[in-house]
Amino acid sequence: MASAPEDPVLERYFKGHKAAITSVDFSPNGKQLATASWDTFLMLWNCKPQARAFRYVGHKDVVTSVQFSPLGNLLASASRDRTIRLWIPDKRGKSSEFKAHTAPVRSIDFSADGQFLATASEDKSIKVWNMYRQRFLYSLYRHTHWVRCAKFSPDGRLIVSCSEDKTIKIWDTTNKQCVNNFSDSVGFANFVGFNPTGTCIASAGSDHTVKIWDIRVNKLLQHYQVHSGGVNCVSFHPSGNYLITASSDGTLKILDLLEGRLIYTLQGHTGPVFTVSFSKGGDLFSSGGADAQVLLWRTNFDGLNCKDIIKRNLKRLHFDSSPHLVDIYPRTPHPHEGKIETVEINPKLEVIDLQTSSPPVMDILSFDSTTTTDTTVRTLADKGEEINSYFLNPSLLSSECSPTTSKKKTEDTSDFPSESQRSIPLAVTDALEHIMEQLSVLTQTVSILEQRLTLTEDKLKDCLENQHRLFNAIQQKS
């Protein structure tokens, strides 16, 4: 079947990984694509044809998740080796390693402001990290089985998590408490995420289903049974009007959330599809799976001006904004309204001039360290490439490092300004932060004690009322 102009089109294949792709993410400007794989490597692809690709070597086991920071100056990765790594996405690939989880780490997610990172692990916990200080902040414990995924809400006030205990939990990042709980008796969610306005969550179910919940009213809004295998990943279009799903049945499905129906089935992969993600502008999306291929697609089906919708969504993220009905999904016209049947797209059946990208690869080796480490670069292509200053991160680079510096000093591993540059000494800052953490624990303890006292008072009141009623009843009988 020939594709219509508004149908999604497969633009490119990226080949370089040696095993299944577990995670994909676009840079904020849409010019680069990061991928993670079972081959233990992280790869950074340039969307320009024939541009060099980077392969980051450092994890000792499967890399399960990858994500760019909101500014694009950092790349975070999680692995079954129980670590999280932060990379500068350039040809030097300087990295920091975080260790706190006691089991494989399944997912990572930056908050929208880039200040925090949430990680989910098979140790049944979610951990939150401070990115400026590059240190562990706190853990969230309530799940009774492996936590598969944890994501921040767009405003950063909430975290949603899913676990093999068959629950989806909503956490308040201010008081660090579980404030909501969705449970399923059939299967567990492999992946969960917020819509662009933060009012709804979508879950990808091992029971082949996709569910969308309104977290304001705790109601299941939509329930899709369109796959014949477990659903591994979902991604909202930035407009909030569409959801794309990746499944072990080997297909990608595109759902129209306004009309509540399936509109496209995409068949480009051989074997299960594990991951899918829209670009930040929504004009592209990428998918990866067991066939070790990364596919880059042109969206096309959303002919609307997405920037206007995205701006409207951002306005509604304010804490004091009153709920709007269109917060669920903005009602706007669609270019595919005349279509009734689901469109199936199989690029392998069409005669198209498709670019298969197997670019020159630069391997970047990182030494094992729990702090920021220097790296040894093994170049498989030309050595005359300039460092892209867009990606340099002041919090990871020392003050003596600059984009044009070719010689790195091994003794300079500090992630923060020197003592002379600080208005407050580092030791004092650390002590104050420790005090604040202890005060936070004390505050939570007092809050719990208050709740228990209130419950005790209520029970005593009930007992006294019951005694009073019994006393009155005995007096009436006598």
Side-chain angles (χ1 to χ4, degrees), residues 47-86:
C47 292
K48 292 179 183 177
Q50 303 307 314
R52 182 177 303 180
F54 297 143
R55 181 189 289 125
Y56 295 100
V57 184
H59 284 294
K60 300 179 182 66
D61 206 334
V62 174
V63 186
T64 54
S65 185
V66 64
Q67 192 182 53
F68 277 97
S69 64
L71 291 178
N73 58 347
L74 285 176
L75 195 59
S77 61
S79 171
R80 293 195 65 84
D81 65 10
R82 305 180 182 184
T83 69
I84 300 105
R85 280 183 182 264
L86 283 183

Side-chain angles (χ1 to χ4, degrees), residues 23-25 34 36 42 59 63-69 74-79 82-87 98 101 104-111 116-121 126-127 129 131 147-152 159-160 191-192:
S23 181
V24 296
D25 191 50
L42 203 65
H59 284 294
V63 186
T64 54
S65 185
V66 64
Q67 192 182 53
F68 277 97
S69 64
L74 285 176
L75 195 59
S77 61
S79 171
R82 305 180 182 184
T83 69
I84 300 105
R85 280 183 182 264
L86 283 183
W87 310 79
F98 296 162
H101 286 291
V105 188
R106 298 297 292 264
S107 87
I108 50 171
D109 189 53
F110 280 100
S111 59
F116 303 101
L117 186 76
T119 58
S121 169
I126 300 135
K127 296 190 186 297
W129 310 75
M131 286 294 93
V147 187
R148 297 186 71 95
C149 182
K151 298 283 181 182
F152 280 103
I159 291 174
V160 63
F191 187 94
V192 69

